[in-house]
Amino acid sequence: MAAMNPDLEHAPQIPLLNPPTGESGRRTQKGTLVFIVSIVFLLSFIIINLQSHEPSLENNITTVPLLPIARGVAEGVSAKSNPYLSQKASYNWTNAMLSWQRTAFHFQPQRNWMNDPNGPLFYMGWYHIFYQYNPDSAVWGNITWGHAVSRDLIHWLYLPIALVPDKWFDISGVWSGSATLLPDGKILMLYTGNTDRNVQVQNLAYPANLSDPLLLDWVKYANNPVLVPPPGIGPKDFRDPTTAWIGPDEKWRITIGSKLNKTGLSLLYKTQDFIHYEQSDRYLHQVPGTGMWECVDFYPVSVNGPNGLDTSENGPDVKHVLKASLDDTKVDHYAIGTYFIENDTWVPDNPNEDVGIGLKLDYGRYYASKTFYDQQKQRRILWGWINESDSETADLKKGWASLQTIPRTVVFDKKTRTNLLHWPVKEVESLRLSNSEFEGVVVKPGSVVPLDIGPATQLDIFAEFEIEDLASKGIGKDNVDCGNGAVDRSAFGPFGILAIADDQLSELTPIYFHLSSTTKDGSLTTSFCVDETRSSKAPDVSKLIFGSKAPVLSDEKLSMRVLVDHSIIESFAQGGRTVITSRVYPTEAIYGAARLFLFNNATDINIKASLKIWQLNSAFIRPFPFDQKL
């Protein structure tokens, strides 16, 4: 165990985070001028050419190239790639850089493309995850259901593909779905199929052998589909059935994502046999202006107890969470409210934070999430899909794309009573190796302090921050948010850690707080942010600033937990009240060159930081050893 002395405040201070210049940072004024002149020259050149030539289809194509259409749009699903990055100059990625990007303990296939998690469940001692998978390429297409199992949600074993697009009702894609465990032990899987005519329908599948704990073989119901788009719903606006829940009338309910014009909504159906369905005369819920709802999720949370709840639970101490993945914005939104079983409708507690206009499950690169109830440990587990933010060209070169977050537990925030708390499953702690502790490290305004922990590519970080002289100085009333990133300076921030950084700070990813204001009860309003803008020197990588307000109650310290796994950074503020997932693609801060720093870009306060940091082992993720007994 290493310890850092508070005297580190006297260590050499590295000039912080001034907006960098040159090729690796923001353009200088001279560079900006050159850029503007170049654009003017290019426009002039195009105008001259258009005036000096007879218009023709060939000339129009060469002078005004069209941006590529994202894959999936034609099929009526979210864009699953970032085609616009192909307009930027491709970086000369080396095999070493691309190999470093592959994660060590996040779930991803051995190769090729993956997106949404499907039908997770716990059965006969095994956790099962199914996922959208292209067995032929590292880009979206030919979507099948991949399948893997685990004893602990961390170490995974790949299984054969579970469902393939081989029937007229799913020949154009086996899309997202959910598993329902019936009281008699049966398992039913409802999933969206894209038909031979590109119509989205709902299909039923079930295990061929319930005595097989691996659930290797699946049978598609012979008379699929069991549901088709109802009148008034477009053929490409009907997808992603939820796990079913049962009501007091002994009928099961499911909800399916859809839209009418720009109103996002969740359709509701009842069934007794999962083959015949009656549509409710009401929507479960709808929100105007939110567009198509994908991957809808609906589940109860206990407002007083510590455990997760089975999907069919209800009662006076229960709230219901409604979540939708918004096709228009590629963001997962949720709201907490009340489910009225008598008419199968749901009403948000706060209409101003309804689904699609309020809280997000994750404020970073995160989409198409799915929960399930873990009956073994009485908890609700959340999975989410992390897409790539580099180009398809790079993905094809490295041979894989996308992964899943670390599974997270979901509970109601009993302090604020307005939001959920998400936290990495406890099993991730089994990967911890050596740890370092740093107590009371003072970080002065405008400085960076290195943390001597060795390589920093696989880490579990707990950090708490105290503000020196906070009571006497007070906090301003400015509505501060993430702004222009960590380069901003104000009296009270930003401050936090620099992850996946090299010694020269030419590449870095700040995870930070930016204080805003206090309330009458002493609670603190702060923004929690991640700044990717200098995470990589590569131009063909999307680099954004993510963040949100993170309420800090009067009895709480500012705290964050950060999981670093090569190209993935998952950041949790205030016990999981606000979560941000980031993708980073460094060219310098890789392997042994990756470092960790504290920083304080405030102008008027010192920051005192205390940290516990574990190096994390790699998890094994490999083909199932079928020659061994279970």
Side-chain angles (χ1 to χ4, degrees):
M1 178 183 297
M4 176 173 279
N5 192 296
D7 289 339
L8 268 178
E9 64 179 291
H10 303 299
Q13 303 298 306
I14 304 171
L16 167 72
L17 304 181
N18 292 320
T21 59
E23 295 180 354
S24 63
R26 295 180 175 178
R27 295 183 179 90
T28 60
Q29 291 182 349
K30 180 179 177 180
T32 303
L33 181 60
V34 170
F35 177 77
I36 294 172
V37 171
S38 300
I39 293 297
V40 172
F41 174 81
L42 179 59
L43 291 174
S44 302
F45 178 81
I46 292 173
I47 292 170
I48 290 171
N49 272 276
L50 289 174
Q51 291 175 341
S52 60
H53 294 81
E54 290 294 321
S56 69
L57 180 61
E58 181 180 1
N59 284 337
N60 285 339
I61 290 175
T62 56
T63 57
V64 189
L66 297 175
L67 289 173
I69 297 175
R71 295 175 183 270
V73 172
E75 291 82 359
V77 295
S78 292
K80 304 297 185 184
S81 61
N82 198 337
Y84 304 104
L85 291 174
S86 63
Q87 301 300 303
K88 298 184 179 181
S90 179
Y91 190 77
N92 185 26
W93 294 102
T94 66
N95 288 334
M97 294 174 188
L98 297 177
S99 295
W100 180 89
Q101 291 174 16
R102 190 166 179 90
T103 60
F105 52 86
H106 282 75
F107 177 79
Q108 58 188 129
Q110 292 172 289
R111 62 187 66 85
N112 297 331
W113 170 271
M114 176 180 66
N115 56 283
D116 311 1
N118 298 312
L121 71 153
F122 179 80
Y123 186 70
M124 293 181 66
W126 293 93
Y127 293 99
H128 292 252
I129 184 172
F130 305 85
Y131 51 93
Q132 305 277 272
Y133 179 58
N134 182 352
D136 301 323
S137 176
V139 297
W140 187 90
N142 187 30
I143 295 301
T144 67
W145 271 33
H147 185 193
V149 291
S150 172
R151 291 289 195 185
D152 62 1
L153 295 168
I154 301 297
H155 301 87
W156 290 92
L157 299 168
Y158 299 117
L159 296 181
I161 287 173
L163 296 173
V164 299
D166 60 356
K167 305 293 183 182
W168 72 267
F169 50 77
D170 61 12
I171 193 67
S172 300
V174 179
W175 290 350
S176 293
S178 302
T180 298
L181 278 69
L182 301 185
D184 61 3
K186 292 180 181 177
I187 299 171
L188 297 177
M189 193 77 74
L190 288 171
Y191 71 92
T192 297
N194 194 26
T195 72
D196 54 355
R197 297 187 179 185
N198 283 327
V199 177
Q200 296 170 12
V201 299
Q202 311 314 316
N203 301 315
L204 175 65
Y206 48 89
N209 181 8
L210 283 172
S211 65
D212 173 16
L214 299 182
L215 302 176
L216 289 174
D217 297 314
W218 289 80
V219 177
K220 296 177 184 178
Y221 175 56
N223 292 322
N224 277 332
V226 295
L227 279 170
V228 299
I233 295 298
K236 297 182 179 181
D237 302 329
F238 184 65
R239 55 185 177 269
D240 309 337
T242 63
T243 296
W245 68 96
I246 196 167
D249 56 1
E250 299 301 314
K251 292 182 179 180
W252 293 88
R253 280 100 165 134
I254 63 166
T255 185
I256 297 171
S258 188
K259 71 172 182 176
L260 277 175
N261 297 317
K262 284 293 184 180
T263 296
L265 55 91
S266 49
L267 302 165
L268 191 130
Y269 291 86
K270 298 180 185 179
T271 183
Q272 289 181 306
D273 59 8
F274 288 85
I275 296 173
H276 304 92
Y277 294 81
E278 56 180 301
Q279 184 180 356
S280 173
D281 57 359
R282 301 169 184 257
Y283 302 132
L284 178 67
H285 193 57
Q286 60 180 320
V287 180
T290 55
M292 179 65 196
W293 284 11
E294 296 189 298
C295 302
V296 173
D297 204 4
F298 186 65
Y299 55 90
V301 290
S302 171
V303 298
N304 294 316
N307 296 328
L309 300 176
D310 178 84
T311 307
S312 295
E313 287 286 336
N314 206 347
D317 293 331
V318 172
K319 290 288 185 180
H320 274 77
V321 176
L322 179 59
K323 167 259 162 182
S325 300
L326 302 192
D327 192 8
D328 289 352
T329 60
K330 312 302 180 288
V331 173
D332 275 20
H333 280 269
Y334 79 94
I336 299 172
T338 301
Y339 171 49
F340 296 94
I341 189 67
E342 58 269 20
N343 62 6
D344 286 308
T345 60
W346 175 91
V347 177
D349 288 348
N350 182 357
N352 295 323
E353 290 198 339
D354 206 342
V355 179
I357 59 176
L359 298 168
K360 299 177 183 179
L361 279 184
D362 188 300
Y363 289 82
R365 302 187 186 276
Y366 183 92
Y367 196 64
S369 62
K370 177 65 186 170
T371 68
F372 78 101
Y373 177 63
D374 175 8
Q375 69 272 27
Q376 180 195 33
K377 296 190 175 180
Q378 296 183 306
R379 56 185 177 175
R380 182 156 291 271
I381 302 292
L382 170 70
W383 256 299
W385 170 54
I386 312 173
N387 66 334
E388 301 294 328
S389 55
D390 61 354
S391 66
E392 283 191 354
T393 301
D395 294 341
L396 289 167
K397 186 174 181 180
K398 67 190 178 189
W400 59 269
S402 307
L403 51 133
Q404 306 294 340
T405 61
I406 288 294
R408 302 168 182 173
T409 56
V410 180
V411 296
F412 182 73
D413 188 342
K414 298 175 183 60
K415 289 186 175 181
T416 65
R417 307 192 75 79
T418 59
N419 56 272
L420 300 175
L421 296 175
H422 302 148
W423 202 245
V425 292
K426 188 173 179 59
E427 287 88 335
V428 74
E429 298 175 12
S430 66
L431 299 175
R432 288 175 176 173
L433 299 172
S434 60
N435 75 304
S436 305
E437 292 191 19
F438 305 89
E439 293 291 337
V441 181
V442 176
V443 190
K444 293 183 176 180
S447 65
V448 173
V449 175
L451 297 173
D452 185 14
I453 62 168
T457 59
Q458 295 174 208
L459 301 176
D460 189 356
I461 305 165
F462 283 84
E464 289 187 340
F465 299 91
E466 298 179 62
I467 316 301
E468 285 199 339
D469 301 321
L470 178 60
S472 60
K473 289 181 179 290
I475 294 293
K477 298 297 182 182
D478 294 336
N479 186 23
V480 176
D481 57 19
C482 298
N484 293 316
V487 297
D488 280 349
R489 301 203 70 181
S490 72
F492 304 105
F495 57 86
I497 65 175
L498 304 177
I500 309 294
D502 62 346
D503 284 327
Q504 291 72 40
L505 299 182
S506 66
E507 291 179 329
L508 47 83
T509 303
I511 300 117
Y512 59 93
F513 291 106
H514 204 163
L515 303 186
S516 177
S517 61
T518 54
T519 61
K520 292 181 180 179
D521 65 357
S523 299
L524 189 65
T525 299
T526 179
S527 292
F528 182 62
C529 315
V530 176
D531 180 358
E532 297 178 347
T533 56
R534 285 168 294 159
S535 62
S536 174
K537 294 181 179 179
D540 57 342
V541 172
S542 174
K543 290 166 277 190
L544 302 177
I545 299 166
F546 296 105
S548 174
K549 293 292 188 290
V552 183
L553 304 186
S554 57
D555 61 343
E556 296 177 338
K557 291 183 179 180
L558 287 167
S559 64
M560 67 171 73
R561 182 182 183 183
V562 179
L563 290 176
V564 178
D565 187 5
H566 294 251
S567 60
I568 302 297
I569 303 174
E570 294 187 58
S571 304
F572 303 78
Q574 303 309 119
R577 204 167 282 154
T578 301
V579 186
I580 303 172
T581 298
S582 311
R583 291 304 306 264
V584 295
Y585 303 86
T587 63
E588 303 284 345
I590 59 178
Y591 298 105
R595 297 283 183 263
L596 185 69
F597 299 84
L598 288 166
F599 83 94
N600 177 12
N601 218 17
T603 58
D604 292 357
I605 55 172
N606 290 336
I607 303 303
K608 186 178 290 185
S610 297
L611 304 96
K612 291 183 178 180
I613 304 167
W614 285 266
Q615 297 281 347
L616 293 182
N617 201 355
S618 298
F620 65 76
I621 304 177
R622 60 177 184 247
F624 191 91
F626 286 99
D627 58 338
Q628 297 180 17
K629 293 183 179 181
L630 296 181

